Amino acid sequence: MNKTLRKAVIAGNWKMNKTPAEAKALIEEMKPLVSDADCDVVLCVPYVDLQAALEASEGSNIKIGAENCHWEVSGAYTGEVSAEMLKAVGVDYVIIGHSERRTYFGDTDVTVQKRVRAALDAGLTVILCVGEYLEQREQGITTEIVSMQTKIALGGVSEEELKRVIIAYEPVWAIGTGRTATAEQANEVNKAIRDVVATLYGQAAADGLTIQYGGSMNAKNAEELLAQPDVDGGLIGGASLKAADFSVIVRAASK
Ligand code: PGA
């Protein structure tokens, strides 16, 4: 982390977990544990939990995000939720392009770009996920894959809008598997992403961009990962469902 250049952000990704009542209880438990954080703390929760999460986090340093949004403002898109709707309920953040969306729900680089556009237009901050499959890493094309995902997703995003973008590097093989990238692997790819952003927006903009690592980050390995110069935070799945574990990660990012 280089805190003089950019903000550290620890974001939880609850995925399809927790009812509204459970969300409220978990946030109440987390609040005192993260209240003195010297980093931004975000919890991205299922749509139905947003209201409860916003209420429970009110007056605290925890910010609330959604896990996806549609690219249209409104219309005949059964089952979808627009970025405008998220903004209207008071949400500040949205995850876009998570590998589970890409793998199970047909998200492509093109629809990710459209969702990023819509989220920025609605005034949200985007947590944009990129990352390679194991086969791609073994083929030695990780940098190409994440570079392409980054370039397409940021197509049409202005330098001013980039200030509301966080990139999360999440190697797909590390998500929910307990198999974490080494600190060196994480830093190497985060640095490669920053270099791509520098070619698009210049070095100063790239240096100001928060680039997280995600994929089995937990209370035990967070400190080592977050000590890397280009790892500016984490997107945390499993460990964000436990207040104690999550707060250890927040503390590691606050050092
Ligand atoms: P994990 O998930 O921490 O459970 O590996 C991370 C993510 O999918 O964002």
Side-chain angles (χ1 to χ4, degrees):
M1 264 185 301
N2 190 331
K3 281 198 179 170
T4 55
L5 291 174
R6 47 193 172 255
K7 239 183 324 184
V9 182
I10 298 295
N13 172 14
W14 285 5
K15 311 193 179 188
M16 197 173 73
N17 292 291
K18 304 292 173 188
T19 64
E22 290 167 348
K24 180 179 187 306
L26 182 53
I27 292 171
E28 294 297 348
E29 195 185 345
M30 279 180 180
K31 272 198 289 192
L33 301 178
V34 302
S35 61
D36 59 352
D38 186 21
C39 64
D40 283 357
V41 181
V42 183
L43 293 174
C44 298
V45 306
Y47 292 133
V48 295
D49 293 343
L50 286 171
Q51 202 68 52
L54 285 161
E55 281 166 26
S57 64
E58 212 181 317
S60 79
N61 60 330
I62 298 175
K63 297 175 185 130
I64 301 301
E67 300 174 9
N68 186 30
C69 70
H70 195 261
W71 56 85
E72 292 293 343
V73 172
S74 62
Y77 301 99
T78 303
E80 290 293 306
V81 171
S82 75
E84 310 283 329
M85 291 168 171
L86 296 175
K87 190 67 187 170
V89 296
V91 165
D92 291 319
Y93 290 77
V94 63
I95 296 172
I96 295 182
H98 191 278
S99 67
E100 285 150 18
R101 298 291 322 169
R102 296 179 192 252
T103 302
Y104 306 133
F105 304 105
D107 277 15
T108 64
D109 287 330
V110 173
T111 61
V112 166
Q113 184 195 71
K114 289 163 76 167
R115 292 179 206 272
V116 168
R117 178 75 265 146
L120 292 173
D121 285 345
L124 299 172
T125 293
V126 170
I127 300 176
L128 166 67
C129 299
V130 299
E132 81 286 4
Y133 288 101
L134 184 59
E135 298 74 23
Q136 295 168 330
R137 173 161 286 270
E138 286 170 350
Q139 255 187 289
I141 57 171
T142 298
T143 304
E144 285 95 325
I145 294 293
V146 299
S147 298
M148 189 181 70
Q149 290 172 334
T150 301
K151 282 185 184 172
I152 297 173
L154 295 180
V157 173
S158 71
E159 188 179 337
E160 190 53 35
E161 289 170 329
L162 188 71
K163 293 175 185 159
R164 283 189 286 121
V165 175
I166 293 165
I167 296 181
Y169 166 54
E170 298 208 310
V172 182
W173 47 270
I175 294 176
T177 56
R179 188 177 160 191
T180 322
T182 65
E184 292 70 29
Q185 284 172 327
N187 194 67
E188 186 185 8
V189 182
N190 278 30
K191 168 87 168 60
I193 293 168
R194 198 177 308 286
D195 290 346
V196 168
V197 172
T199 65
L200 299 172
Y201 298 92
Q203 195 61 49
D207 284 341
L209 178 72
T210 296
I211 306 181
Q212 301 171 317
Y213 167 79
S216 299
M217 193 190 274
N218 58 40
K220 287 205 179 80
N221 60 26
E223 189 163 344
E224 193 191 352
L225 286 159
L226 293 167
Q228 296 294 313
D230 281 289
V231 177
D232 311 315
L235 183 56
I236 323 295
S240 73
L241 297 169
K242 295 180 200 126
D245 288 9
F246 188 66
S247 68
V248 170
I249 301 171
V250 168
R251 235 170 289 139
S254 301
K255 280 186 183 156

